[in-house]
Amino acid sequence: MKKILPLFSYIFHPIFIPAMATLFYLFFNTTAFATEEKLFVFFQVAIILVIIPILFFLILKAAGKIDSIMIAEVTQRKIPLILQCFLIILLVRKSITIDRYPELHFFFLGALLSTILALISLFLNIKASLHMMAISALTLFVIAISLHFQFQNTFIIAFLILANGLVASSRIEMNAHTNKELIIGFFLGSIPQLLLLFLWL
């Protein structure tokens, strides 16, 4: 099990969560969009919030600013988080707009708020688990859109709840975080999503 646990840190790496959330949203929302539009939305999110950050990571690693994709050091997290804030702002202003994709729009607004809070915490020398921040936000979003679209997703929700525990165990197994940092990350990810539910659910 100790050999398997680290895999969850890679499968549910924060960089992949926006694409996962978009897939869940498009899958549950079965009637609103044509297949071509769903593909267009997914690839927009994937390019802006997955491909660009990966390319930026490779540049930072080549420049010696980052030593690992897990970004363990507090000082190394600031530039990627600032980039993430700008990319999310670009996405919600130009592509995932409130009038066309309100549920997904509010998910990304919650993600933006979580990212800003995580960035502020770094300047206070507080390290939060970005993995827990991401997986907890995804879990709450999937529960919310399941209720919103009245879609039966008991298995998926149960799996995501289990994934929260597996990701937390993975981060502890890899000596990446303390219990306190995992709890902070969980609340940084879930509370903004929970607060924004009142605007669309």
Side-chain angles (χ1 to χ4, degrees), residues 120-178:
I120 291 171
S121 71
L122 292 179
F123 289 97
L124 300 175
N125 205 30
I126 298 172
K127 181 182 177 184
S129 171
L130 301 181
H131 280 76
M132 287 307 298
M133 187 175 81
I135 190 64
S136 64
L138 176 65
T139 303
L140 197 58
F141 179 63
V142 170
I143 292 172
I145 59 174
S146 299
L147 294 172
H148 185 62
F149 294 122
Q150 298 182 344
F151 204 93
Q152 295 293 330
N153 300 300
T154 307
F155 177 77
I156 295 174
I157 292 170
F159 173 75
L160 286 173
I161 291 172
L162 176 63
N164 277 261
L166 291 171
V167 169
S169 299
S170 173
R171 304 309 288 153
I172 290 174
E173 179 63 28
M174 296 176 73
N175 295 316
H177 290 290
T178 64

Side-chain angles (χ1 to χ4, degrees), residues 25 29 32-33 37 41 44 88-110 141 148-149 196-201:
Y25 170 71
N29 196 351
F33 314 118
E37 184 175 3
V41 169
Q44 275 188 313
I88 294 174
I89 291 170
L90 174 66
L91 192 68
V92 297
R93 284 181 60 86
K94 300 296 184 181
S95 179
I96 310 300
T97 57
I98 192 171
D99 58 329
R100 185 61 180 152
Y101 314 102
E103 302 87 0
L104 195 59
H105 178 85
F106 281 113
F107 168 77
F108 284 122
L109 284 183
F141 179 63
H148 185 62
F149 294 122
L196 288 173
L197 288 184
F198 293 101
L199 299 178
W200 65 269
L201 186 60

